[in-house]
Amino acid sequence: MDTVDETTSFFDTAPLLKDGSGGGPRRVVCVTSGGTTVPLEQRCVRYIDNFSSGHRGATSTEYTPTSFKYFLKSGYSVIFLYRRGTCQPYCRSLPEDPLLECFRVTDDDSCIQVQVHESHSEAVKTAISKHHAVGAISLSLVQSCVSYICLKVSFHDRLFQEILRLIATSMKMLGPSGMFYLAAAVSDFYVPWESMAVHKIQSASGPLDMRLAQVPKMLSVLRKVWAPTAFCVSFKLETDKEILLEKADAALKRYKMNAVVANELSSRKEVVILVTNSGKVSVYRDNKDSDVESPLIKLLVDKHSAHMNTTKLPF
Ligand code: 9Z3
């Protein structure tokens, strides 16, 4: 059976109890994925959303039998914090249209059967077997350390920050072997609770005039208080390429990130620029059948190794 075979090969090949280089302390990465929302009303009907399909976060997490090396395959335990409704690991190959499109119903001898539609059968089989294989790894490793935890939340900006705080403070004991890979698109603006309308905003009162406050940057708190020695990777998304690198540089310095991944909305799947204190590197996908996350994670894993070698534990 596919699932059993996949699981066995995971155990045989994955360096699950070691770090990516085959030894040393366990590495744990918290991957955030999806966009946060900010409510406009206390009894929320409307909200501001942030663009993110969750593709990057989901892809970066996967364990694949191919040569692509994402976090699980690089020996990391992954905490995947993602917004409900956005991509999950292994599901990105499924059609974007409703899942039910993958199936069809046949009615032979009054017995209704649900079958996977031929055009999607490979994608569905792969997604299911990979999903179960990761579940099996998590269960069998419970006593040593869980390999994959998936946290699905409604991404209200405040809730997201609170969950991230809980994860970060729990990971503090890992020191430099913890990593944050903050691919979720977070809001820059919000409506403070005190000035927020309680009920649904009425259109009868004419055009909406609303003042949004700036969200306090959680990156500084993450770096200074929650996880001072972890390896922190933030993302910078812009649509104007003239300002992208300038903003990424500023984020690197202001929030003392170990790396900032700069990407433009329109080309984010083909190229990203990795900005670190040692310079800028453009990372491209190899071809149109591969993705940019694989070479990106390879680079980040190397940089994380260097960080672990040079950073002292906080205790
Ligand atoms: C990104 O830049 C991600 O790469 C994308 C991934 C959201 C573009 P998709 O989910 O796209 O695959 O569709 N994330 C933006 C991260 C962000 O909002 N960063 C904050 C900021 O710039 C700091 S953590 O202020």
Side-chain angles (χ1 to χ4, degrees):
M1 265 163 54
D2 272 358
T3 308
V4 172
D5 287 342
E6 281 297 336
T7 312
T8 311
S9 67
F10 272 32
F11 279 112
D12 288 346
T13 54
L16 287 165
L17 294 171
K18 303 173 193 151
D19 78 346
S21 58
R26 171 169 276 277
R27 299 174 185 219
V28 179
V29 60
C30 171
V31 174
T32 68
S33 187
T36 64
T37 60
V38 289
L40 298 185
E41 297 126 344
Q42 289 185 6
R43 296 185 190 167
C44 180
V45 175
R46 300 184 184 105
Y47 56 84
I48 300 175
D49 206 350
N50 279 273
F51 166 83
S52 170
S53 64
H55 191 277
R56 170 143 296 147
T59 308
S60 306
T61 298
E62 291 178 0
Y63 184 109
T64 61
T66 65
S67 57
F68 297 147
K69 276 202 141 196
Y70 309 115
F71 283 121
L72 282 167
K73 191 148 180 185
S74 304
Y76 283 72
S77 296
V78 177
I79 300 171
F80 183 64
L81 175 60
Y82 81 108
R83 175 177 169 177
R84 189 186 298 271
T86 59
C87 262
Q88 292 178 54
Y90 308 116
C91 297
R92 65 195 158 109
S93 51
L94 294 176
E96 276 178 20
D97 297 320
L99 191 62
L100 289 183
E101 295 228 336
C102 297
F103 302 99
R104 68 164 180 218
V105 175
T106 53
D107 189 354
D108 303 330
D109 303 331
S110 318
C111 169
I112 294 179
Q113 294 183 2
V114 179
Q115 292 176 342
V116 178
H117 203 287
E118 293 86 26
S119 53
H120 298 308
S121 73
E122 273 316 305
V124 172
K125 237 167 68 182
T126 309
I128 294 172
S129 61
K130 298 288 188 315
H131 174 80
H132 285 298
V134 170
I137 287 174
S138 308
L139 286 177
S140 59
L141 287 179
V142 153
Q143 279 171 338
S144 43
C145 184
V146 174
S147 256
Y148 176 65
I149 302 174
C150 186
L151 299 171
K152 171 164 63 177
V153 287
S154 308
F155 252 22
H156 263 224
D157 206 67
R158 297 293 292 274
L159 179 64
F160 167 69
Q161 295 205 14
E162 191 49 28
I163 296 177
L164 187 64
R165 183 185 67 79
L166 290 172
I167 295 172
T169 46
S170 320
M171 280 173 61
K172 203 168 180 176
M173 59 181 287
L174 295 169
S177 53
M179 188 200 286
F180 289 85
Y181 182 83
L182 305 167
V186 298
S187 194
D188 284 332
F189 305 104
Y190 76 114
V191 186
W193 187 255
E194 322 73 68
S195 57
M196 197 186 287
V198 175
H199 295 284
K200 184 183 164 214
I201 297 166
Q202 295 299 309
S203 59
S205 352
L208 180 60
D209 190 2
M210 182 176 270
R211 194 175 163 79
L212 300 174
Q214 239 177 330
V215 172
K217 282 286 182 190
M218 65 167 181
L219 291 183
S220 16
V221 197
L222 175 76
R223 171 45 86 216
K224 286 191 194 136
V225 186
W226 300 342
T229 54
F231 187 78
C232 290
V233 183
S234 73
F235 285 71
K236 182 47 79 183
L237 173 66
E238 294 294 341
T239 52
D240 178 353
K241 67 166 181 259
E242 301 298 320
I243 59 170
L244 177 64
L245 290 180
E246 192 190 308
K247 299 290 285 285
D249 257 330
L252 185 79
K253 296 196 177 80
R254 188 170 312 137
Y255 307 118
K256 300 199 169 26
M257 291 290 104
N258 299 92
V260 176
V261 180
N263 55 172
E264 246 186 273
L265 186 66
S266 58
S267 60
R268 70 189 191 284
K269 293 197 173 169
E270 288 99 55
V271 58
V272 297
I273 301 165
L274 185 63
V275 182
T276 63
N277 280 330
S278 30
K280 298 180 178 60
V281 185
S282 296
V283 183
Y284 296 90
R285 63 176 179 178
D286 292 338
N287 54 59
K288 67 174 179 38
D289 297 321
S290 66
D291 51 56
V292 74
E293 283 79 10
S294 177
L296 171 65
I297 285 161
K298 191 172 177 313
L299 272 174
L300 288 174
V301 169
D302 289 347
K303 292 197 179 294
H304 188 197
S305 301
H307 172 78
M308 287 168 67
N309 289 336
T310 52
T311 311
K312 286 203 187 88
L313 281 168
F315 40 83

